[in-house]
C-alpha cells in the first residue's frame, strides 16, 4: 500500500471528517490519497494559517472529541501553520498538523549548510516547543505507528496539537497492507487523567463547611467538562455564585448566580466578587496575569483558594493556594458535586450583595459614543436569544466588549483566541466550527483583525456557510492605540498613523456577500434583524471611529477591584 494511502486510511479510521490545507508539491501525494478515499472532506483555504484556525474550530465545536487535520507543504507552507499551532497549544486544542517535506536524500542533516533541498526547513524543531509531539518520519515503516501515537497524544491529558513531518519519498513508499491494518486495529489508547485523591475531596468539603462567602470560578479547562451544565444548574438552585475566566466564559451559561468574567478586562461585579469571597474554588484555570492582575498577592485577598488543574506545573505557579488539586476538571466535578448543605455557614447576604453590585455595574460604559458596545451587545443578546449559535471573536477591544456583554444561552457558545491572542482567528475558526456543527455562526471582529485573513471570505462563499460577520470598524488598532494614549501621550504610530483599512461592505460585495454598513445607533435594530433573517454569508459593518478603548480596564499595578474608570465616577 502506498504510504500516503495508508495515512488517508488512518485518518478515516479515526473518523477525521475534515482536512484543511493550501496545496503545495510536498503534500500533493497525501491530498490525492485523501481525496481518492473520499472519507475525509478536503477544505482548501487561501492561507495555511487559516487552515490551522479552521481545524482548531472543528475541535472547539466538538469540545475536543473530534480531531481535524491542518496541512501545509514544506518551507513557507509549514511556517505559515505556526501561529495556528501556537493557538492550539495555549488553549489546549487537539489538532493534527501534517507538513510535507523534501525527499530524505535532500535533507540538510548535519551538513554545515543552511539548506540542502528547495524549501527544506526543519519545522519539527520550530514546532517542538508548542506541540505535545513533533516528529519527522525518515523510515516508512514508522509512519503509521508514529501517526497513531500522535493522534492519541493530542487527545490525552491536557490536550493539544501534534505535528508529523513527512518527506516526499516517504509518502510514495510502499507499506505492507498487513502492517497498516494491524496498526489501525491496535491504535494507541488515549490516556485518561487520574481522579482527585479522596483526601483532597474531603479537604475541599471541610473548607466549604466553614465558608461564609464561597465563589466558584470556571476556567478554560472546565468549559468542555460534561458535568459543567449540571454543576451550573445546581449552583443556581443552591444560590451559590460563580464567575468565569475569558476561556471559561465560552460555555458558561448566563443565570441569576453568574457574575460574569474576572480579570484585567473583566466585569466589575466579577472582580468585586473575587476580592470579597472567603473561599474561591478555581476549576481548570491557571490564574494568569490577565485574570489576577499584576498584583497576584492581592488576588482574592480575603479568600482561601482551591485550584484544580490537569497540569501540575500550573498549580501554585502565580497564586499561592490553600489546596492545589492535580486533576482533570471533569474528574473533579464528578467527584465533588454541589449539594444541599455543602455551605452550611453561608452568609445570607452574600448572594444579594453580589446582585446589588451587578446591578450597580449594569450601566452604559460608553454614553459618549454614537454606537455603544454596551448597547450593541445587549441588542445582540436580545436579537439572538433562543438561536442555536456559535459566536467567534477576534482579538482587540471588540473581544473584550463581547466578553463583557455576551450572555450565552443553552444552545450557544462563544469562542475566543485566549493564550495566543491571534488577530485573524475568528473568520477561519468560524468556518471550521460551522462545518462541524452545521449551525449558524456569528463572527465578531474589528477592522484590523479581519484584514489578517480577509481572503477567507472567498472560502466562506465557496462553502456557502451560514456565517454572519459583524465588523466593529474603529478606524484603528484600538486596543494598542488605547495603550499609546495612556503611556505615549497619544502618539499613535502604526495604530492610526500609518494604518489603513478598506470599506468592508464593498469588499464583502466583491466576494458576492450581502453586506450593509451603518454609522448610527438608530439603524442598529433593523441591521441586526436583517442579519438574523439572512441565511448564508452576510457582513454588517459598524462605523465606530471613536471606539478606541475598553471600559472598565485595569491599569498596570492596580488591584483587581480598582478598574478604571472608578465606578463612583461613572455615574
Amino acid at each position: 500500500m502506498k504510504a500516503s494511502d495508508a495515512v488517508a486510511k488512518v485518518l478515516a479510521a479515526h473518523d477525521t471528517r475534515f482536512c484543511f490545507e493550501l496545496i503545495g508539491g510536498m503534500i500533493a501525494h497525501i491530498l490525492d490519497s485523501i481525496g481518492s478515499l473520499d472519507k475525509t472532506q478536503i477544505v482548501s483555504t487561501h492561507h495555511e494559517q487559516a487552515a490551522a484556525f479552521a481545524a482548531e474550530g472543528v475541535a472547539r465545536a466538538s469540545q475536543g472529541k473530534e480531531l481535524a487535520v491542518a496541512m501545509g507543504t514544506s518551507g513557507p507552507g509549514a511556517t505559515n501553520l505556526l501561529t495556528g499551532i501556537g493557538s492550539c497549544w495555549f488553549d489546549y486544542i487537539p489538532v493534527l498538523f501534517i507538513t510535507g517535506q523534501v525527499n530524505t536524500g535532500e535533507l540538510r542533516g548535519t551538513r554545515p549548510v543552511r539548506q540542502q533541498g528547495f524549501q527544506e526547513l526543519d519545522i519539527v524543531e520550530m514546532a517542538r516547543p508548542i506541540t505535545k509531539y513533533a516528529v519527522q518520519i525518515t523510515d516508512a515503516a514508522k509512519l503509521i505507528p508514529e501517526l497513531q501515537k500522535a493522534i492519541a497524544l493530542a487527545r490525552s491529558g491536557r490536550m493539544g496539537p501534534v505535528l508529523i513531518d513527512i518527506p516526499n519519498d516517504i509518502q510514495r513508499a510502499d507499506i505492507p497492507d498487513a502492517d497498516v491494518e494491524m496498526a489501525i486495529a491496535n491504535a494507541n489508547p488515549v490516556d485518561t487523567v487520574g481522579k482527585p485523591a479522596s483526601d483532597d475531596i474531603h479537604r475541599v468539603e471541610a473548607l466549604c463547611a466553614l465558608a461564609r462567602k464561597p465563589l466558584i470560578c470556571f476556567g478554560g479547562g472546565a468549559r468542555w467538562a460534561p458535568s459543567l451544565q449540571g454543576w451550573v444548574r445546581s449552583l443556581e438552585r443552591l444560590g451559590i455564585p460563580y464567575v468565569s475566566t475569558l476561556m471559561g466564559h465560552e460555555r458558561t451559561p448566563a443565570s441569576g448566580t453568574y457574575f460574569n468574567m474576572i480579570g484585567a478586562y473583566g466585569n466589575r461585579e466579577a472582580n468585586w466578587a473575587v476580592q470579597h469571597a472567603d473561599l474561591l474554588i478555581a476549576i481548570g484555570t491557571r490564574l494568569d496575569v490577565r485574570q489576577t492582575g499584576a498584583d497576584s498577592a492581592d488576588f482574592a485577598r480575603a479568600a482561601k483558594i482551591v485550584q484544580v488543574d490537569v497540569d501540575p506545573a500550573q498549580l501554585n505557579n502565580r497564586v499561592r493556594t490553600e489546596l492545589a488539586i492535580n486533576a482533570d476538571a471533569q474528574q473533579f466535578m464528578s467527584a465533588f458535586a454541589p449539594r444541599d448543605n455543602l455551605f452550611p455557614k453561608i452568609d445570607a447576604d452574600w448572594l444579594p450583595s453580589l446582585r446589588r453590585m451587578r446591578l450597580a455595574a449594569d450601566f452604559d460604559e460608553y454614553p459618549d459614543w454614537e454606537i455603544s458596545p454596551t448597547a450593541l451587545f445587549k441588542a445582540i443578546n436580545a436579537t439572538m436569544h433562543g438561536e442555536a449559535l456559535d459566536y467567534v471573536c477576534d482579538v482587540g477591544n471588540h473581544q473584550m466588549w463581547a466578553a463583557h456583554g455576551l450572555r450565552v444561552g443553552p444552545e450557544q457558545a462563544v469562542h475566543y483566541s485566549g493564550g495566543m491572542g491571534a488577530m485573524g482567528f475568528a473568520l477561519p475558526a468560524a468556518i471550521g466550527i460551522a462545518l462541524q456543527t452545521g449551525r449558524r455562526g456569528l463572527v465578531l471582529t474589528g477592522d484590523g483583525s479581519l484584514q489578517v485573513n480577509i481572503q477567507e471570505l472567498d472560502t466562506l462563499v465557496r462553502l456557502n456557510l451560514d456565517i454572519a460577520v459583524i465588523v466593529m470598524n474603529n478606524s484603528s488598532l484600538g486596543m494598542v492605540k488605547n495603550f499609546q494614549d495612556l503611556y505615549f501621550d497619544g502618539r499613535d504610530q502604526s495604530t492610526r498613523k500609518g494604518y489603513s483599512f478598506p470599506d468592508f461592505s464593498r469588499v464583502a460585495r466583491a466576494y458576492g456577500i450581502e453586506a450593509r454598513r451603518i454609522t448610527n445607533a438608530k439603524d442598529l435594530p433593523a441591521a441586526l434583524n436583517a442579519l438574523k433573517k439572512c441565511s448564508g454569508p452576510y457582513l454588517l459593518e459598524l462605523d465606530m471611529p471613536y471606539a478606541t478603548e475598553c471600559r472598565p480596564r485595569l491599569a498596570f499595578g492596580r488591584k483587581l477591584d480598582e478598574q478604571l474608570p472608578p465606578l463612583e465616577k461613572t455615574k
Side-chain angles (χ1 to χ4, degrees), residues 348-407:
D349 192 50
W350 175 228
L351 184 59
S353 71
L354 294 180
R355 286 176 169 162
R356 289 192 295 271
M357 182 61 194
R358 181 169 59 192
L359 184 62
D362 186 17
F363 62 93
D364 192 341
E365 295 272 6
Y366 311 92
D368 48 332
W369 296 1
E370 172 61 28
I371 298 177
S372 159
T374 302
L376 170 63
F377 282 97
K378 284 190 175 183
I380 290 173
N381 289 335
T383 303
M384 299 301 172
H385 179 72
E387 296 284 315
L389 182 69
D390 284 278
Y391 298 101
V392 192
C393 293
D394 259 313
V395 173
N397 279 328
H398 60 273
Q399 185 195 55
M400 293 298 103
W401 297 335
H404 283 165
L406 280 178
R407 299 293 176 260

Coordinates of all heavy atoms in Angstrom, one line a residue, residues 348-407:
A348 N -26.2 34.9 54.5 CA -27.4 35.1 53.8 C -27.4 36.3 52.9 O -28.2 36.4 51.9 CB -28.6 35.3 54.8
D349 N -26.5 37.3 53.2 CA -26.5 38.5 52.4 C -25.4 38.4 51.2 O -25.2 39.4 50.5 CB -26.2 39.7 53.2 CG -26.4 41.0 52.5 OD1 -27.5 41.2 51.8 OD2 -25.5 41.9 52.5
W350 N -24.7 37.3 51.2 CA -23.6 37.2 50.2 C -24.1 37.3 48.7 O -23.7 38.1 48.0 CB -22.9 35.9 50.4 CG -21.8 35.5 49.4 CD1 -21.6 34.3 48.8 CD2 -20.7 36.3 48.9 NE1 -20.5 34.3 48.0 CE2 -19.9 35.5 48.0 CE3 -20.3 37.6 49.2 CZ2 -18.8 36.0 47.4 CZ3 -19.2 38.1 48.5 CH2 -18.4 37.3 47.6
L351 N -25.1 36.4 48.4 CA -25.7 36.5 47.1 C -26.4 37.8 46.8 O -26.2 38.4 45.7 CB -26.6 35.3 46.8 CG -27.1 35.2 45.4 CD1 -26.0 35.0 44.4 CD2 -28.1 34.0 45.3
P352 N -27.2 38.3 47.7 CA -27.8 39.6 47.4 C -26.8 40.7 47.3 O -27.0 41.6 46.5 CB -28.7 39.8 48.7 CG -29.0 38.4 49.2 CD -27.8 37.6 48.9
S353 N -25.7 40.7 48.0 CA -24.7 41.8 47.9 C -24.1 41.7 46.5 O -23.8 42.8 45.9 CB -23.6 41.6 48.9 OG -22.8 40.5 48.7
L354 N -23.9 40.5 45.9 CA -23.3 40.4 44.6 C -24.3 40.9 43.6 O -23.9 41.5 42.6 CB -22.9 39.0 44.3 CG -21.8 38.4 45.2 CD1 -21.5 36.9 44.8 CD2 -20.5 39.2 45.0
R355 N -25.6 40.6 43.8 CA -26.6 41.1 42.8 C -26.7 42.6 42.9 O -26.9 43.2 41.8 CB -27.9 40.4 43.2 CG -27.9 38.9 42.7 CD -29.2 38.2 43.1 NE -29.3 36.9 42.4 CZ -30.1 35.9 42.8 NH1 -30.9 36.1 43.9 NH2 -30.1 34.8 42.2
R356 N -26.5 43.2 44.0 CA -26.6 44.6 44.1 C -25.4 45.2 43.4 O -25.5 46.3 42.7 CB -26.5 45.1 45.6 CG -27.8 44.8 46.3 CD -27.9 45.6 47.7 NE -26.9 45.1 48.6 CZ -27.0 44.1 49.5 NH1 -28.2 43.5 49.5 NH2 -26.1 43.8 50.3
M357 N -24.2 44.6 43.5 CA -23.0 45.0 42.8 C -23.2 44.9 41.3 O -22.9 45.8 40.5 CB -21.8 44.3 43.2 CG -20.5 44.7 42.6 SD -20.1 46.4 42.9 CE -18.9 46.8 41.7
R358 N -23.8 43.8 40.9 CA -24.1 43.6 39.4 C -25.0 44.6 38.9 O -24.8 45.2 37.8 CB -24.6 42.2 39.2 CG -24.9 41.9 37.7 CD -25.2 40.4 37.5 NE -26.4 40.0 38.3 CZ -26.7 38.7 38.4 NH1 -26.0 37.7 37.9 NH2 -27.8 38.4 39.2
L359 N -26.0 45.0 39.7 CA -27.0 46.0 39.3 C -26.3 47.4 39.2 O -26.6 48.1 38.2 CB -28.2 46.0 40.3 CG -29.3 47.0 39.9 CD1 -29.9 46.6 38.6 CD2 -30.3 47.0 41.0
A360 N -25.4 47.6 40.1 CA -24.7 48.9 40.1 C -23.8 49.0 38.9 O -23.6 50.2 38.4 CB -23.9 49.1 41.4
A361 N -23.3 47.9 38.5 CA -22.4 47.9 37.3 C -23.1 47.8 36.0 O -22.5 47.8 34.9 CB -21.4 46.8 37.5
D362 N -24.4 47.6 36.0 CA -25.2 47.4 34.8 C -25.6 48.8 34.2 O -26.8 49.2 34.4 CB -26.4 46.6 35.1 CG -27.2 46.2 33.8 OD1 -26.6 46.4 32.7 OD2 -28.4 45.8 33.9
F363 N -24.7 49.5 33.7 CA -25.0 50.8 33.0 C -24.1 50.9 31.8 O -23.2 50.1 31.5 CB -24.6 51.9 34.0 CG -23.2 52.0 34.4 CD1 -22.3 52.8 33.7 CD2 -22.7 51.2 35.4 CE1 -20.9 52.8 34.0 CE2 -21.3 51.3 35.8 CZ -20.5 52.1 35.1
D364 N -24.4 51.8 31.0 CA -23.7 52.0 29.7 C -22.4 52.7 30.0 O -22.3 53.8 30.4 CB -24.6 52.9 28.8 CG -24.0 52.9 27.3 OD1 -22.9 52.5 27.1 OD2 -24.8 53.3 26.4
E365 N -21.3 51.9 29.7 CA -20.0 52.4 30.0 C -19.5 53.4 28.9 O -18.5 54.1 29.1 CB -19.0 51.2 29.9 CG -19.1 50.2 31.0 CD -18.4 50.6 32.3 OE1 -17.8 51.7 32.4 OE2 -18.4 49.7 33.2
Y366 N -20.3 53.6 27.8 CA -19.9 54.4 26.7 C -21.0 55.4 26.3 O -21.4 55.4 25.1 CB -19.5 53.5 25.5 CG -18.6 52.4 25.9 CD1 -19.1 51.1 26.2 CD2 -17.2 52.6 25.9 CE1 -18.2 50.1 26.6 CE2 -16.3 51.6 26.2 CZ -16.8 50.3 26.5 OH -16.0 49.3 26.9
P367 N -21.6 56.2 27.2 CA -22.7 57.0 26.8 C -22.3 58.1 25.9 O -23.1 58.8 25.2 CB -23.1 57.6 28.2 CG -21.8 57.6 29.0 CD -21.1 56.3 28.6
D368 N -21.0 58.4 25.7 CA -20.5 59.5 24.9 C -20.2 59.0 23.4 O -19.8 59.8 22.6 CB -19.2 60.1 25.4 CG -18.2 59.0 25.8 OD1 -18.6 57.9 26.2 OD2 -17.0 59.3 25.8
W369 N -20.5 57.7 23.1 CA -20.3 57.2 21.8 C -21.6 57.0 21.1 O -22.6 56.6 21.7 CB -19.5 55.8 21.9 CG -18.2 55.9 22.4 CD1 -17.5 57.0 22.9 CD2 -17.3 54.8 22.6 NE1 -16.2 56.6 23.4 CE2 -16.1 55.3 23.2 CE3 -17.4 53.4 22.3 CZ2 -15.0 54.5 23.5 CZ3 -16.3 52.6 22.6 CH2 -15.1 53.1 23.2
E370 N -21.6 57.2 19.8 CA -22.8 57.0 19.0 C -23.3 55.6 19.0 O -24.5 55.3 19.3 CB -22.6 57.5 17.6 CG -23.7 57.2 16.6 CD -25.0 57.9 17.0 OE1 -25.0 59.0 17.6 OE2 -26.1 57.3 16.6
I371 N -22.4 54.7 18.7 CA -22.8 53.2 18.9 C -22.0 52.7 20.1 O -20.8 52.6 20.1 CB -22.4 52.4 17.6 CG1 -23.2 52.9 16.4 CG2 -22.7 50.9 17.8 CD1 -22.8 52.3 15.1
S372 N -22.7 52.4 21.1 CA -22.1 52.0 22.4 C -21.9 50.5 22.4 O -22.9 49.7 22.1 CB -23.0 52.4 23.6 OG -22.7 51.6 24.7
P373 N -20.7 50.0 22.7 CA -20.6 48.5 22.8 C -21.5 47.9 23.9 O -22.0 46.8 23.7 CB -19.1 48.3 23.2 CG -18.4 49.5 22.7 CD -19.4 50.7 22.8
T374 N -21.8 48.6 25.0 CA -22.7 48.1 26.0 C -24.1 47.9 25.3 O -24.7 46.8 25.5 CB -22.8 49.1 27.1 OG1 -21.5 49.3 27.7 CG2 -23.8 48.5 28.2
A375 N -24.6 48.9 24.6 CA -25.9 48.8 24.0 C -25.8 47.8 22.8 O -26.8 47.0 22.6 CB -26.3 50.1 23.5
L376 N -24.7 47.7 22.1 CA -24.6 46.8 21.0 C -24.8 45.4 21.4 O -25.6 44.6 20.8 CB -23.3 47.0 20.3 CG -22.9 45.9 19.3 CD1 -23.8 46.0 18.1 CD2 -21.4 46.2 18.8
F377 N -24.1 45.0 22.5 CA -24.1 43.6 22.9 C -25.4 43.2 23.6 O -25.9 42.1 23.5 CB -22.9 43.2 23.7 CG -21.7 43.0 22.8 CD1 -20.8 44.0 22.5 CD2 -21.6 41.8 22.1 CE1 -19.7 43.8 21.7 CE2 -20.5 41.6 21.2 CZ -19.6 42.6 21.0
K378 N -26.1 44.2 24.2 CA -27.4 43.9 24.8 C -28.4 43.7 23.6 O -29.2 42.8 23.7 CB -27.9 45.1 25.6 CG -27.2 45.1 27.0 CD -27.9 46.2 27.9 CE -27.3 46.1 29.3 NZ -28.0 47.0 30.2
A379 N -28.2 44.4 22.5 CA -29.0 44.2 21.3 C -28.8 42.9 20.7 O -29.7 42.2 20.2 CB -28.8 45.4 20.4
I380 N -27.5 42.5 20.6 CA -27.2 41.2 20.0 C -27.8 40.1 20.9 O -28.3 39.1 20.3 CB -25.6 41.0 19.9 CG1 -25.1 42.0 18.8 CG2 -25.3 39.6 19.6 CD1 -23.6 42.0 18.7
N381 N -27.6 40.2 22.2 CA -28.2 39.2 23.1 C -29.7 39.0 22.8 O -30.3 37.9 22.7 CB -28.0 39.5 24.6 CG -26.5 39.4 25.0 OD1 -25.8 38.6 24.4 ND2 -26.1 40.1 26.0
A382 N -30.4 40.2 22.8 CA -31.9 40.2 22.6 C -32.2 39.6 21.2 O -33.2 38.8 21.1 CB -32.4 41.6 22.7
T383 N -31.5 40.0 20.2 CA -31.8 39.6 18.8 C -31.6 38.1 18.6 O -32.4 37.4 18.0 CB -31.0 40.4 17.8 OG1 -31.2 41.8 17.9 CG2 -31.3 39.9 16.4
M384 N -30.5 37.6 19.2 CA -30.1 36.2 19.0 C -30.6 35.2 20.1 O -30.3 34.1 20.2 CB -28.6 36.1 18.9 CG -28.0 36.8 17.7 SD -28.7 36.3 16.2 CE -28.0 37.5 15.1
H385 N -31.4 35.8 21.0 CA -31.9 34.9 22.1 C -32.7 33.7 21.6 O -33.5 33.8 20.7 CB -32.9 35.8 23.0 CG -33.5 35.0 24.1 ND1 -32.7 34.6 25.2 CD2 -34.7 34.5 24.3 CE1 -33.5 33.9 26.1 NE2 -34.7 33.8 25.5
G386 N -32.3 32.6 22.1 CA -33.0 31.3 21.7 C -32.5 30.7 20.4 O -32.9 29.6 20.1
E387 N -31.6 31.4 19.7 CA -31.0 30.8 18.5 C -29.9 29.8 18.8 O -29.1 30.1 19.7 CB -30.4 32.0 17.6 CG -31.4 33.0 17.1 CD -32.2 32.4 16.0 OE1 -31.6 31.8 15.0 OE2 -33.5 32.6 16.0
A388 N -29.8 28.8 18.1 CA -28.6 27.9 18.2 C -27.5 28.5 17.4 O -27.6 28.7 16.2 CB -28.9 26.5 17.6
L389 N -26.4 28.9 18.1 CA -25.5 29.8 17.6 C -24.1 29.7 18.2 O -23.9 29.4 19.4 CB -26.0 31.3 17.8 CG -25.2 32.5 17.3 CD1 -25.3 32.5 15.8 CD2 -25.8 33.7 17.9
D390 N -23.1 29.9 17.3 CA -21.7 30.0 17.8 C -21.2 31.4 17.5 O -21.1 31.8 16.3 CB -20.8 28.9 17.1 CG -21.0 27.5 17.7 OD1 -20.4 27.2 18.7 OD2 -21.8 26.8 17.0
Y391 N -20.8 32.1 18.6 CA -20.1 33.4 18.4 C -18.6 33.1 18.3 O -18.1 32.2 19.0 CB -20.3 34.3 19.6 CG -21.8 34.7 19.8 CD1 -22.6 34.1 20.8 CD2 -22.3 35.8 19.1 CE1 -23.8 34.5 21.1 CE2 -23.6 36.2 19.4 CZ -24.4 35.6 20.3 OH -25.7 36.0 20.6
V392 N -17.9 33.8 17.4 CA -16.5 33.6 17.3 C -15.8 35.0 17.3 O -16.2 35.8 16.4 CB -16.1 32.8 16.0 CG1 -14.6 32.4 16.1 CG2 -17.0 31.6 15.9
C393 N -14.9 35.2 18.2 CA -14.4 36.6 18.4 C -12.9 36.6 17.9 O -12.1 35.7 18.2 CB -14.4 37.0 19.9 SG -16.1 37.2 20.5
D394 N -12.6 37.7 17.3 CA -11.2 38.0 17.0 C -10.6 38.7 18.3 O -11.1 38.6 19.4 CB -11.1 38.9 15.8 CG -10.6 38.1 14.6 OD1 -9.7 37.3 14.7 OD2 -11.3 38.3 13.5
V395 N -9.4 39.3 18.1 CA -8.7 39.9 19.2 C -8.6 41.4 19.1 O -8.2 41.9 18.0 CB -7.3 39.2 19.3 CG1 -6.4 39.9 20.4 CG2 -7.4 37.7 19.6
G396 N -8.8 42.1 20.2 CA -8.8 43.5 20.2 C -9.9 44.0 21.2 O -10.4 43.2 22.0
N397 N -10.2 45.3 21.1 CA -11.2 45.8 22.0 C -12.5 45.1 21.9 O -13.3 44.9 22.8 CB -11.4 47.3 21.8 CG -10.4 48.2 22.5 OD1 -9.9 47.8 23.5 ND2 -10.0 49.3 21.9
H398 N -12.9 44.7 20.6 CA -14.1 44.1 20.4 C -14.3 42.8 21.1 O -15.4 42.4 21.5 CB -14.4 43.9 18.9 CG -13.3 43.1 18.2 ND1 -12.1 43.6 17.7 CD2 -13.3 41.7 18.0 CE1 -11.4 42.6 17.2 NE2 -12.1 41.5 17.4
Q399 N -13.1 42.1 21.3 CA -13.2 40.8 22.0 C -13.6 41.1 23.5 O -14.4 40.3 24.1 CB -11.8 40.1 22.0 CG -11.8 38.7 22.6 CD -10.4 38.2 22.9 OE1 -9.6 38.9 23.6 NE2 -10.1 37.0 22.4
M400 N -13.0 42.1 24.1 CA -13.3 42.4 25.5 C -14.7 42.9 25.6 O -15.4 42.7 26.6 CB -12.3 43.4 26.1 CG -10.9 42.8 26.2 SD -10.8 41.4 27.3 CE -10.7 40.0 26.2
W401 N -15.2 43.7 24.6 CA -16.6 44.2 24.7 C -17.5 43.0 24.6 O -18.5 42.9 25.3 CB -16.9 45.1 23.5 CG -16.1 46.4 23.4 CD1 -15.6 47.1 24.5 CD2 -15.8 47.1 22.2 NE1 -14.9 48.2 24.0 CE2 -15.0 48.3 22.7 CE3 -16.0 47.0 20.9 CZ2 -14.6 49.2 21.8 CZ3 -15.6 47.9 20.0 CH2 -14.8 49.0 20.4
A402 N -17.2 42.0 23.8 CA -18.0 40.8 23.7 C -18.0 40.0 25.0 O -19.0 39.5 25.5 CB -17.5 39.9 22.5
A403 N -16.8 39.9 25.6 CA -16.7 39.1 26.8 C -17.5 39.8 28.0 O -18.0 39.1 28.8 CB -15.2 38.9 27.2
H404 N -17.5 41.1 28.0 CA -18.2 41.9 28.9 C -19.7 41.7 28.7 O -20.5 41.5 29.7 CB -18.0 43.4 28.8 CG -16.7 43.8 29.4 ND1 -16.1 45.0 29.2 CD2 -15.8 43.2 30.3 CE1 -15.0 45.1 29.8 NE2 -14.8 44.0 30.5
G405 N -20.2 41.7 27.5 CA -21.6 41.8 27.2 C -22.3 40.6 26.7 O -23.6 40.6 26.9
L406 N -21.7 39.6 26.1 CA -22.4 38.5 25.6 C -22.9 37.6 26.8 O -22.2 37.4 27.8 CB -21.5 37.6 24.7 CG -21.3 38.1 23.3 CD1 -20.3 37.1 22.6 CD2 -22.6 38.1 22.5
R407 N -24.2 37.2 26.7 CA -24.7 36.3 27.6 C -25.1 35.0 26.9 O -26.0 35.0 26.0 CB -26.0 36.9 28.3 CG -25.6 38.2 29.1 CD -24.7 37.9 30.3 NE -24.3 39.1 31.0 CZ -23.2 39.7 30.8 NH1 -22.3 39.2 30.0 NH2 -22.9 40.8 31.5

